[in-house]
Amino acid sequence: MKNFIIYFVIVILLTSCGKKPTFISVKDLKVESVRDSMMSIKMNYVVYNPNTIKSKLKESELKIYYQNTEVGEGFLNQEILLSPKDTIQIPLNFKVNIKRLSEFYPKLLSLDSSRFDVESNSKIETILKTFSIKGNEIVYLKVNDIVQSEIRNRIKNGGNFKIKGMTIDKIPSLNQSNFKINIQANNNFPFDYVLKEIDLNFYNSSTEIAKWQLGERFNLKANTSNTIPVSIVVNNLNVLKKAKPSWFTKQEIEFDMLGKAVILVNGYKFEVPIQDALKFDIKTLTKIFE
């Protein structure tokens, strides 16, 4: 009889310790930091242990998606003890690669908070067996300001507007030359935007010699380049006065182009710095005096 009671108690204990823990939710998401296009997010992973003794959370893997595109992940590589008959909140960290969201920037800018889908896969060990627990959760993150900052960081690095060539169009007088300059506008983003404004200043030896502004805005398609024709009038005498003796030896004059552009992404304005230099043969100007 005594052995039967012991056997019965053991059976009860084992059966009460073999229940599968339950994923409840992820909660309390908070963006901790943003660095090098990586967004670090802290959250609580909530799980319920229905067993009468402690269980162990062996590992946990999280993946986060935006519109079915995987944009981030997180891992728990240490064991966590789960109290019996208790709901436990486990702090986890995961990272979101902001560049993976780049094609969605226009939509993300239009929303106060954006929906993300989190998939979790955890392994929890009891006395009898190890369970694999999967979970799916919808979460919302405020990423509008982060997206704006990411766009500004990418466009400030330059290379968006480059001089591709220059020719003399005509010489209206001995004192002036009309130059045609082709400027290549590069849209390196995977989405279209509107090129609203361009203001350019041309310098020779720190002296401004010409200005130019974009007449009409136009759309710049994703991952494409457009050639923008620029026409400026330069005072020949002023250029020659500023010419250094070495320039005549090298037979070239260098102009600096500085300015800015304004692009619109879903109504948001972003200022793009422009800086480049161009050179041409000084004989091009001196020939008009022969």
Side-chain angles (χ1 to χ4, degrees), residues 186-269:
N186 302 311
N187 180 3
N188 299 316
F189 289 104
F191 54 82
D192 301 351
Y193 61 67
V194 176
L195 186 55
K196 181 177 182 288
E197 301 173 13
I198 300 180
D199 290 293
L200 298 177
N201 296 310
F202 295 88
Y203 295 87
N204 172 235
S205 297
S206 301
T207 300
E208 184 180 286
I209 59 173
K211 292 182 178 182
W212 183 85
Q213 288 184 328
L214 179 67
E216 296 182 359
R217 65 174 66 184
F218 64 90
N219 292 327
L220 202 54
K221 295 294 183 180
N223 296 315
T224 61
S225 297
N226 281 35
T227 299
I228 303 173
V230 172
S231 180
I232 61 173
V233 177
V234 175
N235 187 300
N236 298 327
L237 296 178
N238 286 342
V239 172
L240 292 174
K241 286 178 182 178
K242 295 294 181 178
K244 299 178 181 178
S246 60
W247 287 356
F248 289 93
T249 304
K250 294 180 180 179
Q251 297 185 334
E252 64 182 14
I253 291 180
E254 182 172 337
F255 286 154
D256 294 310
M257 179 181 72
L258 299 174
K260 67 175 183 178
V262 175
I263 65 173
L264 298 178
V265 181
N266 205 5
Y268 283 81
K269 291 184 179 181

Coordinates of all heavy atoms in Angstrom, one line a residue, residues 186-269:
N186 N 21.4 62.5 -58.6 CA 21.3 61.0 -58.3 C 20.3 60.8 -57.2 O 20.4 61.3 -56.1 CB 22.6 60.5 -57.9 CG 23.7 60.7 -58.9 OD1 23.5 60.4 -60.1 ND2 24.8 61.2 -58.5
N187 N 19.2 60.0 -57.4 CA 18.3 59.5 -56.4 C 18.8 58.1 -56.0 O 18.5 57.1 -56.7 CB 16.9 59.5 -56.9 CG 15.9 59.0 -55.8 OD1 16.4 58.7 -54.6 ND2 14.7 58.9 -56.1
N188 N 19.5 58.0 -54.8 CA 20.0 56.8 -54.4 C 19.0 56.0 -53.4 O 19.4 55.0 -52.8 CB 21.3 57.0 -53.6 CG 22.4 57.6 -54.5 OD1 22.5 57.2 -55.7 ND2 23.1 58.6 -54.1
F189 N 17.8 56.5 -53.3 CA 16.8 55.9 -52.5 C 15.9 54.9 -53.3 O 15.7 55.2 -54.5 CB 15.9 56.9 -51.8 CG 16.6 57.7 -50.7 CD1 17.0 59.0 -51.0 CD2 16.8 57.2 -49.5 CE1 17.6 59.8 -50.0 CE2 17.5 57.9 -48.5 CZ 17.9 59.2 -48.7
P190 N 15.3 53.9 -52.7 CA 14.4 53.0 -53.4 C 13.0 53.5 -53.5 O 12.1 52.7 -53.5 CB 14.5 51.7 -52.6 CG 14.8 52.2 -51.2 CD 15.6 53.4 -51.3
F191 N 12.8 54.8 -53.5 CA 11.5 55.4 -53.7 C 11.6 56.8 -54.4 O 12.7 57.4 -54.4 CB 10.8 55.7 -52.3 CG 11.7 56.4 -51.3 CD1 11.7 57.8 -51.3 CD2 12.4 55.8 -50.3 CE1 12.5 58.6 -50.4 CE2 13.2 56.5 -49.4 CZ 13.2 57.9 -49.5
D192 N 10.5 57.2 -55.0 CA 10.5 58.5 -55.8 C 10.5 59.6 -54.8 O 9.9 59.5 -53.7 CB 9.3 58.5 -56.7 CG 9.3 57.4 -57.7 OD1 10.3 56.7 -57.8 OD2 8.2 57.3 -58.4
Y193 N 11.0 60.8 -55.2 CA 10.8 62.0 -54.4 C 10.8 63.2 -55.4 O 11.1 63.0 -56.6 CB 11.9 62.2 -53.3 CG 13.3 62.3 -53.8 CD1 13.8 63.4 -54.5 CD2 14.2 61.4 -53.4 CE1 15.1 63.5 -54.9 CE2 15.6 61.5 -53.7 CZ 16.0 62.6 -54.5 OH 17.3 62.7 -54.8
V194 N 10.3 64.3 -54.9 CA 10.2 65.5 -55.7 C 11.4 66.4 -55.5 O 11.7 66.7 -54.3 CB 8.9 66.3 -55.3 CG1 8.8 67.6 -56.1 CG2 7.7 65.4 -55.6
L195 N 12.0 66.8 -56.5 CA 13.1 67.8 -56.5 C 12.5 69.2 -56.6 O 12.1 69.6 -57.6 CB 14.1 67.6 -57.6 CG 15.4 68.4 -57.6 CD1 16.1 68.3 -56.3 CD2 16.3 68.0 -58.7
K196 N 12.4 69.8 -55.4 CA 11.6 71.1 -55.3 C 12.4 72.3 -55.7 O 12.0 73.2 -56.4 CB 11.0 71.2 -53.9 CG 10.1 72.5 -53.7 CD 9.6 72.5 -52.3 CE 8.7 73.7 -52.1 NZ 9.4 74.9 -52.0
E197 N 13.6 72.4 -55.1 CA 14.4 73.6 -55.3 C 15.9 73.2 -55.5 O 16.4 72.2 -55.0 CB 14.4 74.5 -54.1 CG 13.0 75.0 -53.7 CD 13.0 75.7 -52.4 OE1 14.1 76.1 -51.9 OE2 11.9 76.0 -51.9
I198 N 16.6 74.0 -56.3 CA 18.1 74.0 -56.4 C 18.6 75.4 -56.4 O 18.1 76.2 -57.3 CB 18.6 73.2 -57.6 CG1 18.1 71.7 -57.6 CG2 20.1 73.2 -57.6 CD1 18.6 70.9 -58.8
D199 N 19.5 75.8 -55.6 CA 20.1 77.1 -55.6 C 21.6 76.8 -55.7 O 22.2 76.2 -54.8 CB 19.8 77.9 -54.3 CG 18.4 78.3 -54.3 OD1 18.0 79.2 -55.1 OD2 17.6 77.8 -53.4
L200 N 22.3 77.3 -56.7 CA 23.7 77.1 -56.9 C 24.4 78.5 -57.0 O 23.9 79.4 -57.6 CB 23.9 76.3 -58.2 CG 23.4 74.9 -58.3 CD1 23.6 74.3 -59.6 CD2 23.9 74.0 -57.2
N201 N 25.6 78.5 -56.5 CA 26.5 79.6 -56.6 C 27.9 79.1 -57.1 O 28.4 78.1 -56.6 CB 26.8 80.3 -55.2 CG 25.5 80.9 -54.6 OD1 24.8 81.6 -55.3 ND2 25.2 80.5 -53.4
F202 N 28.4 79.8 -58.1 CA 29.7 79.4 -58.7 C 30.8 80.4 -58.3 O 30.5 81.6 -58.3 CB 29.6 79.3 -60.2 CG 28.6 78.3 -60.7 CD1 27.3 78.5 -60.8 CD2 29.1 77.0 -61.0 CE1 26.4 77.5 -61.2 CE2 28.2 76.0 -61.4 CZ 26.9 76.3 -61.5
Y203 N 31.9 79.9 -57.9 CA 33.0 80.8 -57.4 C 34.3 80.5 -58.1 O 34.6 79.4 -58.6 CB 33.2 80.5 -55.9 CG 32.0 80.8 -55.0 CD1 31.0 79.9 -54.8 CD2 32.0 82.0 -54.4 CE1 30.0 80.2 -53.9 CE2 30.9 82.4 -53.5 CZ 29.9 81.4 -53.3 OH 28.8 81.7 -52.5
N204 N 35.1 81.6 -58.2 CA 36.4 81.5 -58.7 C 37.3 82.3 -57.7 O 37.1 83.5 -57.5 CB 36.5 82.1 -60.1 CG 37.9 82.3 -60.6 OD1 38.3 83.4 -60.9 ND2 38.7 81.2 -60.6
S205 N 38.2 81.6 -57.1 CA 39.1 82.2 -56.1 C 38.3 82.9 -55.0 O 38.5 84.0 -54.6 CB 40.1 83.2 -56.7 OG 40.9 82.5 -57.6
S206 N 37.3 82.2 -54.5 CA 36.4 82.7 -53.4 C 35.5 83.9 -53.8 O 34.8 84.4 -53.0 CB 37.2 83.1 -52.2 OG 38.0 82.0 -51.7
T207 N 35.5 84.2 -55.1 CA 34.7 85.3 -55.6 C 33.5 84.7 -56.4 O 33.7 83.9 -57.3 CB 35.5 86.3 -56.5 OG1 36.5 86.8 -55.8 CG2 34.6 87.4 -57.0
E208 N 32.3 85.1 -56.0 CA 31.1 84.6 -56.7 C 31.1 85.2 -58.1 O 31.2 86.4 -58.4 CB 29.9 85.0 -56.0 CG 28.6 84.4 -56.6 CD 27.4 84.8 -55.8 OE1 27.1 84.3 -54.7 OE2 26.6 85.7 -56.3
I209 N 30.9 84.3 -59.1 CA 30.9 84.7 -60.5 C 29.6 84.4 -61.2 O 29.3 85.0 -62.3 CB 32.1 84.1 -61.3 CG1 32.0 82.6 -61.3 CG2 33.4 84.6 -60.8 CD1 32.9 81.9 -62.2
A210 N 28.7 83.6 -60.6 CA 27.5 83.3 -61.2 C 26.5 82.6 -60.2 O 27.0 82.0 -59.2 CB 27.6 82.4 -62.4
K211 N 25.2 82.7 -60.5 CA 24.2 82.1 -59.7 C 23.2 81.3 -60.6 O 23.1 81.7 -61.8 CB 23.4 83.1 -58.9 CG 24.1 83.8 -57.8 CD 23.2 84.7 -57.0 CE 23.9 85.3 -55.8 NZ 23.0 86.2 -55.0
W212 N 22.5 80.3 -60.1 CA 21.5 79.6 -60.9 C 20.5 79.0 -59.9 O 20.8 78.6 -58.8 CB 22.2 78.5 -61.7 CG 21.2 77.8 -62.6 CD1 20.8 78.1 -63.8 CD2 20.5 76.6 -62.3 NE1 19.9 77.2 -64.3 CE2 19.7 76.3 -63.4 CE3 20.5 75.7 -61.1 CZ2 18.9 75.1 -63.4 CZ3 19.7 74.6 -61.2 CH2 18.9 74.3 -62.3
Q213 N 19.2 79.0 -60.4 CA 18.1 78.4 -59.6 C 17.3 77.5 -60.5 O 17.2 77.8 -61.7 CB 17.2 79.5 -59.0 CG 17.8 80.2 -57.8 CD 16.8 81.2 -57.2 OE1 16.0 81.7 -57.9 NE2 16.9 81.4 -55.9
L214 N 16.8 76.4 -59.9 CA 15.9 75.5 -60.7 C 14.6 76.2 -60.9 O 14.0 76.8 -60.0 CB 15.7 74.2 -59.8 CG 14.8 73.2 -60.4 CD1 15.4 72.6 -61.7 CD2 14.4 72.1 -59.4
G215 N 14.1 76.1 -62.2 CA 12.9 76.8 -62.5 C 11.6 76.1 -62.1 O 10.8 76.7 -61.4
E216 N 11.5 74.8 -62.4 CA 10.3 74.0 -62.0 C 10.7 72.7 -61.3 O 11.7 72.1 -61.7 CB 9.5 73.7 -63.3 CG 8.9 74.9 -64.0 CD 8.1 74.5 -65.2 OE1 8.0 73.3 -65.5 OE2 7.5 75.4 -65.9
R217 N 9.9 72.4 -60.3 CA 10.2 71.1 -59.6 C 9.9 69.9 -60.6 O 9.1 70.0 -61.5 CB 9.3 71.0 -58.4 CG 7.8 71.0 -58.7 CD 7.0 70.7 -57.4 NE 7.1 71.9 -56.5 CZ 6.5 71.9 -55.3 NH1 5.8 70.8 -54.9 NH2 6.6 72.9 -54.5
F218 N 10.5 68.8 -60.3 CA 10.1 67.6 -61.0 C 10.4 66.4 -60.2 O 11.1 66.4 -59.1 CB 10.9 67.5 -62.4 CG 12.4 67.4 -62.2 CD1 13.0 66.2 -62.1 CD2 13.2 68.6 -62.1 CE1 14.4 66.1 -61.9 CE2 14.6 68.5 -62.0 CZ 15.2 67.2 -61.9
N219 N 9.8 65.3 -60.6 CA 9.9 64.0 -59.9 C 11.2 63.3 -60.3 O 11.6 63.2 -61.4 CB 8.7 63.1 -60.1 CG 7.5 63.6 -59.5 OD1 7.4 64.3 -58.5 ND2 6.3 63.4 -60.2
L220 N 11.9 62.7 -59.3 CA 13.1 62.0 -59.5 C 12.8 60.5 -59.1 O 12.5 60.2 -57.9 CB 14.3 62.5 -58.7 CG 15.7 62.2 -59.2 CD1 15.8 62.6 -60.6 CD2 16.7 62.9 -58.3
K221 N 12.8 59.6 -60.1 CA 12.4 58.2 -59.8 C 13.4 57.5 -58.9 O 14.6 57.9 -58.9 CB 12.3 57.5 -61.1 CG 11.1 58.0 -62.0 CD 9.8 57.8 -61.4 CE 8.6 58.2 -62.3 NZ 7.3 57.9 -61.7
A222 N 13.0 56.5 -58.3 CA 13.8 55.7 -57.4 C 15.0 55.1 -58.1 O 14.9 54.6 -59.2 CB 13.0 54.6 -56.8
N223 N 16.2 55.2 -57.5 CA 17.4 54.6 -58.0 C 17.8 55.0 -59.4 O 18.2 54.1 -60.2 CB 17.3 53.0 -57.8 CG 17.2 52.6 -56.4 OD1 18.0 53.1 -55.5 ND2 16.3 51.7 -56.1
T224 N 17.5 56.2 -59.7 CA 17.9 56.7 -61.1 C 18.7 58.0 -61.0 O 18.8 58.6 -59.9 CB 16.6 57.0 -61.9 OG1 15.8 58.0 -61.2 CG2 15.7 55.7 -62.0
S225 N 19.2 58.4 -62.2 CA 19.9 59.6 -62.3 C 19.3 60.5 -63.4 O 18.9 59.9 -64.5 CB 21.4 59.4 -62.6 OG 22.0 58.7 -61.5
N226 N 19.2 61.8 -63.2 CA 18.7 62.7 -64.2 C 19.8 63.7 -64.5 O 20.5 64.2 -63.6 CB 17.4 63.4 -63.8 CG 16.2 62.5 -63.9 OD1 16.3 61.3 -63.8 ND2 15.1 63.1 -64.3
T227 N 19.8 64.2 -65.7 CA 20.7 65.3 -66.1 C 20.0 66.6 -66.1 O 19.0 66.7 -66.8 CB 21.4 65.0 -67.5 OG1 22.2 63.8 -67.4 CG2 22.3 66.2 -67.8
I228 N 20.5 67.5 -65.3 CA 19.9 68.9 -65.3 C 20.7 69.8 -66.0 O 21.9 70.1 -65.7 CB 19.7 69.3 -63.8 CG1 18.9 68.3 -63.0 CG2 19.1 70.7 -63.7 CD1 18.9 68.6 -61.5
P229 N 20.2 70.5 -67.1 CA 21.0 71.5 -67.8 C 21.0 72.8 -67.1 O 20.0 73.3 -66.7 CB 20.2 71.6 -69.2 CG 18.8 71.2 -68.9 CD 18.9 70.2 -67.7
V230 N 22.2 73.3 -66.9 CA 22.3 74.6 -66.2 C 23.0 75.6 -67.2 O 24.1 75.2 -67.8 CB 23.2 74.4 -64.9 CG1 23.5 75.8 -64.3 CG2 22.4 73.6 -63.9
S231 N 22.5 76.8 -67.3 CA 23.1 77.8 -68.1 C 23.5 79.0 -67.2 O 22.6 79.5 -66.5 CB 22.1 78.2 -69.2 OG 22.7 79.2 -70.0
I232 N 24.7 79.4 -67.3 CA 25.2 80.6 -66.5 C 26.0 81.5 -67.4 O 26.5 81.1 -68.4 CB 26.1 80.2 -65.3 CG1 27.3 79.4 -65.8 CG2 25.3 79.3 -64.3 CD1 28.3 79.2 -64.7
V233 N 26.0 82.8 -67.0 CA 26.7 83.9 -67.7 C 27.9 84.3 -66.8 O 27.7 84.6 -65.7 CB 25.9 85.1 -68.1 CG1 26.7 86.2 -68.7 CG2 24.7 84.7 -68.9
V234 N 29.1 84.2 -67.4 CA 30.3 84.5 -66.6 C 31.0 85.7 -67.2 O 31.1 85.9 -68.5 CB 31.3 83.3 -66.6 CG1 32.6 83.7 -65.9 CG2 30.6 82.2 -65.9
N235 N 31.5 86.7 -66.4 CA 32.2 87.8 -66.8 C 33.7 87.4 -67.1 O 34.4 87.0 -66.2 CB 32.2 88.9 -65.8 CG 32.9 90.2 -66.3 OD1 34.0 90.2 -66.6 ND2 32.1 91.3 -66.3
N236 N 34.1 87.4 -68.4 CA 35.4 86.9 -68.7 C 36.6 87.7 -68.1 O 37.6 87.1 -67.6 CB 35.6 87.0 -70.3 CG 34.6 86.1 -71.0 OD1 34.2 85.1 -70.5 ND2 34.2 86.6 -72.2
L237 N 36.4 89.0 -68.0 CA 37.5 89.8 -67.5 C 37.7 89.6 -66.0 O 38.8 89.5 -65.5 CB 37.2 91.3 -67.7 CG 37.1 91.8 -69.2 CD1 36.8 93.3 -69.3 CD2 38.5 91.5 -69.8
N238 N 36.6 89.4 -65.3 CA 36.7 89.1 -63.8 C 37.4 87.8 -63.6 O 38.2 87.6 -62.7 CB 35.3 89.0 -63.2 CG 34.7 90.4 -63.0 OD1 35.5 91.4 -63.1 ND2 33.4 90.5 -62.8
V239 N 37.1 86.8 -64.4 CA 37.8 85.5 -64.3 C 39.3 85.6 -64.6 O 40.1 85.1 -63.8 CB 37.1 84.5 -65.3 CG1 37.9 83.2 -65.3 CG2 35.7 84.2 -64.9
L240 N 39.6 86.3 -65.6 CA 41.1 86.5 -66.0 C 41.8 87.3 -64.9 O 43.0 87.0 -64.6 CB 41.2 87.1 -67.3 CG 40.7 86.2 -68.5 CD1 40.8 87.0 -69.8 CD2 41.6 85.0 -68.6
K241 N 41.2 88.2 -64.3 CA 41.8 89.0 -63.3 C 42.2 88.2 -62.1 O 43.2 88.4 -61.4 CB 40.9 90.2 -62.8 CG 40.8 91.3 -63.8 CD 39.8 92.4 -63.3 CE 39.6 93.5 -64.3 NZ 38.6 94.5 -63.8
K242 N 41.3 87.2 -61.8 CA 41.5 86.3 -60.6 C 42.5 85.2 -60.9 O 42.9 84.4 -60.0 CB 40.2 85.7 -60.2 CG 39.2 86.8 -59.6 CD 39.8 87.4 -58.3 CE 38.8 88.4 -57.8 NZ 39.3 89.0 -56.5
A243 N 42.8 85.0 -62.2 CA 43.6 83.9 -62.6 C 45.0 84.0 -62.0 O 45.7 85.0 -62.1 CB 43.7 83.8 -64.1
K244 N 45.5 82.9 -61.4 CA 46.9 82.9 -60.9 C 47.9 82.6 -62.0 O 47.5 81.9 -63.0 CB 47.0 81.8 -59.8 CG 46.0 82.1 -58.6 CD 46.1 81.0 -57.6 CE 45.2 81.2 -56.4 NZ 45.2 80.2 -55.4
P245 N 49.1 83.0 -61.8 CA 50.1 82.7 -62.9 C 50.2 81.2 -63.1 O 50.4 80.8 -64.3 CB 51.4 83.2 -62.2 CG 51.0 84.3 -61.3 CD 49.7 83.9 -60.8
S246 N 50.1 80.4 -62.1 CA 50.2 78.9 -62.3 C 49.1 78.4 -63.2 O 49.2 77.4 -63.8 CB 50.1 78.2 -60.9 OG 48.9 78.5 -60.2
W247 N 47.9 79.1 -63.1 CA 46.8 78.7 -64.0 C 47.1 78.8 -65.5 O 46.8 78.0 -66.3 CB 45.5 79.5 -63.7 CG 44.9 79.1 -62.3 CD1 45.3 78.2 -61.5 CD2 43.8 79.8 -61.7 NE1 44.5 78.1 -60.4 CE2 43.6 79.1 -60.5 CE3 43.0 80.9 -62.1 CZ2 42.6 79.5 -59.6 CZ3 42.0 81.2 -61.2 CH2 41.8 80.5 -60.0
F248 N 47.9 79.9 -65.8 CA 48.2 80.1 -67.2 C 49.2 79.0 -67.6 O 49.2 78.6 -68.8 CB 48.8 81.5 -67.4 CG 47.8 82.6 -67.3 CD1 47.6 83.2 -66.1 CD2 47.0 82.9 -68.4 CE1 46.6 84.2 -66.0 CE2 46.1 83.9 -68.3 CZ 45.9 84.6 -67.1
T249 N 50.1 78.6 -66.7 CA 51.0 77.5 -67.0 C 50.3 76.2 -67.1 O 50.6 75.4 -68.1 CB 52.1 77.4 -65.8 OG1 52.7 78.7 -65.6 CG2 53.1 76.3 -66.1
K250 N 49.3 75.9 -66.2 CA 48.6 74.7 -66.3 C 47.5 74.8 -67.4 O 46.9 73.8 -67.8 CB 47.9 74.4 -65.0 CG 48.9 74.1 -63.9 CD 48.1 73.8 -62.6 CE 49.1 73.5 -61.4 NZ 48.4 73.3 -60.2
Q251 N 47.2 76.0 -67.9 CA 46.2 76.2 -68.9 C 44.8 75.7 -68.5 O 44.1 75.2 -69.3 CB 46.7 75.6 -70.2 CG 47.9 76.1 -70.8 CD 48.3 75.5 -72.2 OE1 47.9 74.4 -72.5 NE2 49.0 76.3 -73.0
E252 N 44.5 76.0 -67.2 CA 43.1 75.6 -66.8 C 42.7 76.5 -65.6 O 43.6 77.1 -64.9 CB 43.0 74.2 -66.4 CG 43.9 73.8 -65.1 CD 43.8 72.4 -64.8 OE1 43.4 71.6 -65.6 OE2 44.2 72.0 -63.6
I253 N 41.4 76.7 -65.5 CA 40.8 77.5 -64.5 C 39.8 76.6 -63.7 O 39.1 75.8 -64.3 CB 40.1 78.7 -65.0 CG1 41.1 79.7 -65.5 CG2 39.3 79.4 -63.9 CD1 40.5 81.0 -66.1
E254 N 39.8 76.7 -62.4 CA 38.9 75.9 -61.6 C 37.8 76.7 -61.0 O 38.1 77.8 -60.4 CB 39.7 75.2 -60.5 CG 38.8 74.2 -59.7 CD 39.6 73.4 -58.7 OE1 40.8 73.2 -59.0 OE2 39.0 73.0 -57.7
F255 N 36.6 76.3 -61.2 CA 35.4 76.9 -60.5 C 34.9 76.0 -59.4 O 35.0 74.7 -59.5 CB 34.3 77.1 -61.5 CG 34.5 78.2 -62.5 CD1 33.9 78.2 -63.7 CD2 35.3 79.3 -62.2 CE1 34.1 79.3 -64.6 CE2 35.5 80.3 -63.1 CZ 34.9 80.3 -64.3
D256 N 34.4 76.6 -58.4 CA 33.7 75.8 -57.3 C 32.2 76.0 -57.4 O 31.8 77.2 -57.6 CB 34.3 76.2 -55.9 CG 35.7 75.9 -55.7 OD1 36.1 74.7 -56.0 OD2 36.5 76.8 -55.4
M257 N 31.5 75.0 -57.2 CA 30.0 75.0 -57.2 C 29.6 74.7 -55.8 O 29.8 73.6 -55.3 CB 29.4 74.1 -58.2 CG 27.9 74.1 -58.2 SD 27.2 72.9 -59.5 CE 27.6 71.3 -58.6
L258 N 28.9 75.6 -55.2 CA 28.3 75.4 -53.8 C 26.8 75.7 -53.9 O 26.4 76.6 -54.6 CB 29.0 76.2 -52.8 CG 30.5 76.0 -52.6 CD1 31.0 77.0 -51.6 CD2 30.7 74.6 -52.0
G259 N 26.0 75.0 -53.1 CA 24.6 75.3 -53.0 C 23.8 74.3 -52.2 O 24.4 73.5 -51.4
K260 N 22.6 74.2 -52.5 CA 21.7 73.3 -51.8 C 20.5 73.0 -52.7 O 20.1 73.7 -53.6 CB 21.2 73.9 -50.5 CG 20.2 75.0 -50.6 CD 19.7 75.5 -49.3 CE 18.7 76.6 -49.5 NZ 18.1 77.1 -48.3
A261 N 19.9 71.8 -52.4 CA 18.7 71.4 -53.0 C 17.7 71.1 -51.9 O 18.1 70.7 -50.8 CB 18.9 70.2 -53.9
V262 N 16.4 71.2 -52.3 CA 15.3 70.8 -51.4 C 14.5 69.7 -52.0 O 14.0 69.9 -53.1 CB 14.4 72.0 -51.0 CG1 13.3 71.5 -50.1 CG2 15.2 73.0 -50.3
I263 N 14.4 68.5 -51.4 CA 13.6 67.4 -51.9 C 12.4 67.2 -51.0 O 12.4 67.6 -49.8 CB 14.4 66.1 -52.0 CG1 14.9 65.6 -50.6 CG2 15.6 66.3 -52.9 CD1 15.5 64.2 -50.7
L264 N 11.3 66.7 -51.5 CA 10.1 66.4 -50.8 C 9.9 64.9 -50.8 O 9.8 64.3 -51.9 CB 8.9 67.2 -51.4 CG 8.9 68.7 -51.5 CD1 7.7 69.2 -52.2 CD2 9.0 69.3 -50.1
V265 N 9.7 64.4 -49.6 CA 9.4 63.0 -49.5 C 8.0 62.9 -48.7 O 8.0 63.2 -47.5 CB 10.5 62.2 -48.7 CG1 10.1 60.7 -48.6 CG2 11.8 62.3 -49.4
N266 N 7.0 62.6 -49.4 CA 5.7 62.6 -48.8 C 5.3 63.8 -48.1 O 4.8 63.8 -47.0 CB 5.5 61.3 -47.9 CG 4.1 60.9 -47.8 OD1 3.2 61.4 -48.4 ND2 3.9 59.9 -46.9
G267 N 5.7 65.0 -48.6 CA 5.4 66.3 -48.0 C 6.5 66.8 -47.0 O 6.4 67.9 -46.7
Y268 N 7.4 65.9 -46.6 CA 8.5 66.4 -45.7 C 9.6 66.9 -46.5 O 10.1 66.3 -47.5 CB 8.9 65.2 -44.9 CG 8.0 64.8 -43.7 CD1 6.9 64.0 -44.0 CD2 8.2 65.3 -42.4 CE1 6.0 63.7 -42.9 CE2 7.4 64.9 -41.4 CZ 6.3 64.2 -41.7 OH 5.4 63.8 -40.6
K269 N 10.2 68.1 -46.1 CA 11.3 68.7 -46.7 C 12.6 68.3 -46.2 O 12.8 68.2 -45.0 CB 11.2 70.2 -46.6 CG 10.0 70.9 -47.3 CD 10.1 72.4 -47.2 CE 8.9 73.1 -47.9 NZ 9.0 74.6 -47.8

